[in-house]
Amino acid sequence: MIAATVGRTFLNAWNDKYQKEYSAKEFFEKEYFSLFFDHPKYMQWVTNSPFVQMKKGQKPEFLTHDERIEKLNDLHAKIDAGLRDASIAIGFPASEEKEFATTSGLVTDLGIKYEAEEVYLSWIGGGLGVGVAGGYSIFFDHAQILLTLYEGWKVYRRLLNEPTLDRLRGNQINTWNGQWLNFAFSMDYEENPDFGYLSNYDIFFQDEKLIEVSTIFWARFYFNLSEKLAEETVTAYIYSLGQTNKTMGFIPFRFHQGRSILSIYKILFGENDALTQKKDYEGMFGIHIKRACEFGAIGLQALEPQGLREYFDKAKMPNFTATAVAAKNGETPEAFEERKKKANKKDYENIISFRTYKTWLIAMITKNKQEDLHYSEEVAKALKEYRADAKKRDRANLLENELLQAKTKKQFLDGLATLVKDVDPKLLETFKILRDKVHLMTTEEFGYFVVLLKFDYAYLESKS
């Protein structure tokens, strides 16, 4: 089972780092149990396991240390007796008296024997799943990532034990792992952070009654991992354990492609903006984890920015024109400033959207090719100059309703042929080169290029 495999990778790395020789059972007793279950608030809730099966009158938050040890011994006894269902071994199928339950997936009738060591490894691995938005979790079979998650276990336990954080919810280890992975690989990482420091990074949801860890979107930590693991492709297992177990299978995470996104943004918009706007533009990247897995790998395609697809599917031009804000009669200075603040926020979001969309489109076009990242902008400037020479809207209509809405290369080249009939001679060479480039593009590249050109043209128009 995958959880046991991940547990073994982690335990080997942990023993090596801390110069120990723990077996899986020893680690479970001395480290895992003491962190996860030997406290009023559990870090993990494993349905039907001995740790959640309460005797009459018992509640997890009121158990004594001796009562918790009794439940640990109960688990040991069941493992020694050969029990291997989902309540005893993490990720294993649920069991009925005569056959496996219909809610269990990927069940074999082969008589595979699982040793006790593998069962304890499955528990260790089960605590290393990385929960993401969409109801799925990810197993990374990668020593550095797993050791990083282990450090996060200790922080989560310290927060759960903090008397002032009595509203903090337990049993969220997988959700916590996702947030911790993002934080630990970020530039904001601080060793042994307190709750106040972590609260600045959208890790928690809080109200008067509850504090809980928010589920992170997978693309957030993907970019931070890309900074540290840029030369690696890490194969992960994406799954969901619940009443019905689900799996998306083994999916490679291509971190070098995330690094290329960051590099292109830096080249296009400067190192300072790439750094200060990082949180804003990274938050726009990525599709639902289930759809991302359909590509067979987590990389550039899966990072498609939110909201971009409609510009492929609809004959729609972007609008980046800044919002004009003027004082109204009888309006208080405070109300005016509030409207101005909202308008500025919207304009900033428009800029981030434009930059995010442009970065991804260029990444998809260039991929591993060495090409001028500013080429589409040069073409857009030529189109804008062509448009500006006309007094009527005939040229604008040709550009906005035909050329920039073309779905095929033929439609685009036909529109370009119409355009060059009365173009200024100084622009003619630019459009001849454009014709040749489009002719040589693949159908996929052209689809990205025409949308990119649409954005560059609309952005330049908004600055007129």
Side-chain angles (χ1 to χ4, degrees):
M1 293 295 178
I2 306 305
T5 300
V6 171
R8 182 178 293 106
T9 299
F10 165 77
L11 186 58
N12 289 339
W14 187 88
N15 276 330
D16 185 59
K17 179 177 180 178
Y18 294 99
Q19 299 183 330
K20 303 283 188 180
E21 294 183 357
Y22 281 4
S23 67
K25 183 177 182 179
E26 286 175 310
F27 181 88
F28 185 85
E29 286 184 323
K30 296 177 182 179
E31 291 281 334
Y32 201 93
F33 170 73
S34 65
L35 281 170
F36 278 66
F37 300 111
D38 196 16
H39 301 271
K41 285 185 183 178
Y42 287 176
M43 286 168 55
Q44 181 184 37
W45 190 270
V46 179
T47 303
N48 294 327
S49 72
F51 296 114
V52 305
Q53 291 177 338
M54 299 293 147
K55 296 179 180 178
K56 187 176 181 180
Q58 284 186 336
K59 290 185 178 180
E61 60 269 30
F62 298 126
L63 293 176
T64 65
H65 173 70
D66 288 343
E67 287 174 323
R68 296 189 194 104
I69 292 296
E70 182 182 353
K71 295 187 181 300
L72 173 64
N73 290 333
D74 189 17
L75 177 68
H76 288 327
K78 290 184 176 182
I79 293 174
D80 291 342
L83 298 183
R84 299 292 185 265
D85 63 72
S87 68
I88 304 301
I90 306 299
F92 282 50
S95 179
E96 292 181 351
E97 224 176 272
K98 295 183 179 179
E99 60 181 10
F100 288 110
T102 56
T103 53
S104 300
L106 304 177
V107 178
T108 176
D109 59 1
L110 297 176
I112 301 174
K113 185 176 181 180
Y114 294 101
E115 301 296 334
E117 182 80 355
E118 290 181 273
V119 178
Y120 289 111
L121 286 171
S122 77
W123 279 83
I124 297 168
L128 293 163
V130 178
V132 295
Y136 286 84
S137 292
I138 304 172
F139 277 140
F140 288 105
D141 190 17
H142 186 279
Q144 183 182 356
I145 293 176
L146 299 179
L147 288 172
T148 299
L149 295 177
Y150 168 74
E151 295 302 321
W153 288 356
K154 293 182 283 187
V155 176
Y156 186 40
R157 169 47 61 199
R158 176 164 50 79
L159 295 177
L160 288 175
N161 288 356
E162 174 62 50
T164 60
L165 297 176
D166 59 300
R167 291 182 293 137
L168 180 60
R169 178 182 161 196
N171 302 316
Q172 284 194 283
I173 187 58
N174 294 133
T175 305
W176 167 261
N177 284 343
Q179 290 286 1
W180 178 258
L181 191 62
N182 182 55
F183 174 75
F185 278 84
S186 73
M187 295 181 296
D188 300 312
Y189 173 71
E190 179 179 284
E191 193 173 355
N192 296 320
D194 60 20
F195 179 78
Y197 186 81
L198 292 172
S199 295
N200 295 322
Y201 299 97
D202 301 325
I203 291 176
F204 303 102
F205 166 81
Q206 302 184 55
D207 61 24
E208 293 181 355
K209 296 181 179 179
L210 179 71
I211 302 172
E212 64 180 2
V213 182
S214 301
T215 309
I216 196 169
F217 191 68
W218 66 266
R220 296 300 299 273
F221 62 71
Y222 173 88
F223 281 110
N224 284 337
L225 289 175
S226 295
E227 294 277 17
K228 303 292 175 65
L229 307 175
E231 305 306 316
E232 298 188 49
T233 293
V234 178
T235 299
Y237 181 77
I238 301 178
Y239 67 97
S240 172
L241 299 181
Q243 287 187 335
T244 301
N245 294 346
K246 303 174 186 176
T247 177
M248 301 304 297
F250 294 93
I251 306 293
F253 278 65
R254 294 174 177 161
F255 291 121
H256 69 279
Q257 294 186 349
R259 186 66 179 269
S260 72
I261 287 276
L262 303 176
S263 298
I264 290 172
Y265 197 99
K266 186 181 297 184
I267 292 170
L268 291 174
F269 309 115
E271 193 164 344
N272 183 62
D273 281 3
L275 181 63
T276 59
Q277 298 170 359
K278 190 172 186 290
K279 182 178 178 181
D280 298 319
Y281 63 77
E282 284 184 356
M284 291 189 63
F285 283 106
I287 58 178
H288 190 286
I289 187 65
K290 187 175 181 179
R291 279 197 55 224
C293 291
E294 292 172 2
F295 292 119
I298 302 294
L300 283 179
Q301 277 190 297
L303 288 168
E304 180 182 315
Q306 301 155 29
L308 177 59
R309 182 54 47 181
E310 62 181 305
Y311 294 99
F312 285 87
D313 300 334
K314 300 177 183 178
K316 180 179 179 180
M317 287 295 294
N319 182 6
F320 300 110
T321 304
T323 307
V325 182
K328 298 178 181 179
N329 290 334
E331 186 178 33
T332 65
E334 293 78 13
F336 172 69
E337 286 300 320
E338 183 63 24
R339 280 200 307 115
K340 188 177 178 181
K341 183 179 178 181
K342 290 180 179 179
N344 290 339
K345 183 175 183 292
K346 182 180 179 181
D347 292 342
Y348 174 76
E349 290 171 350
N350 277 339
I351 291 172
I352 295 300
S353 294
F354 164 71
R355 291 182 169 189
T356 304
Y357 294 160
K358 178 169 181 171
T359 299
W360 184 80
L361 289 165
I362 288 177
M364 290 300 295
I365 294 168
T366 59
K367 291 186 178 173
N368 296 321
K369 297 180 289 185
Q370 295 294 322
E371 293 193 8
D372 181 7
L373 302 184
H374 299 281
Y375 177 70
S376 62
E377 185 177 354
E378 293 170 5
V379 174
K381 287 178 181 177
L383 293 177
K384 182 176 179 298
E385 191 171 340
Y386 166 79
R387 154 81 173 82
D389 285 343
K391 293 182 180 179
K392 297 181 180 179
R393 277 202 53 87
D394 54 336
R395 290 190 178 185
N397 289 334
L398 171 63
L399 293 177
E400 296 172 14
N401 300 328
E402 295 184 38
L403 192 75
L404 298 177
Q405 305 297 345
K407 299 297 183 184
T408 66
K409 291 197 292 182
K410 183 181 184 304
Q411 290 175 348
F412 186 90
L413 293 173
D414 286 346
L416 196 59
T418 302
L419 181 152
V420 298
K421 290 178 181 178
D422 60 347
V423 74
D424 190 311
K426 68 180 181 181
L427 298 176
L428 195 57
E429 185 63 23
T430 298
F431 293 132
K432 283 183 178 179
I433 294 172
L434 174 62
R435 175 200 61 193
D436 295 341
K437 280 184 173 287
V438 169
H439 181 72
L440 293 174
M441 288 178 184
T442 65
T443 300
E444 181 186 32
E445 289 171 341
F446 170 74
Y448 296 131
F449 177 77
V450 73
V451 176
L452 172 61
L453 198 55
K454 183 189 297 188
F455 275 96
D456 274 325
Y457 173 80
Y459 187 77
L460 289 174
E461 279 288 285
S462 73
K463 299 303 177 185
S464 301

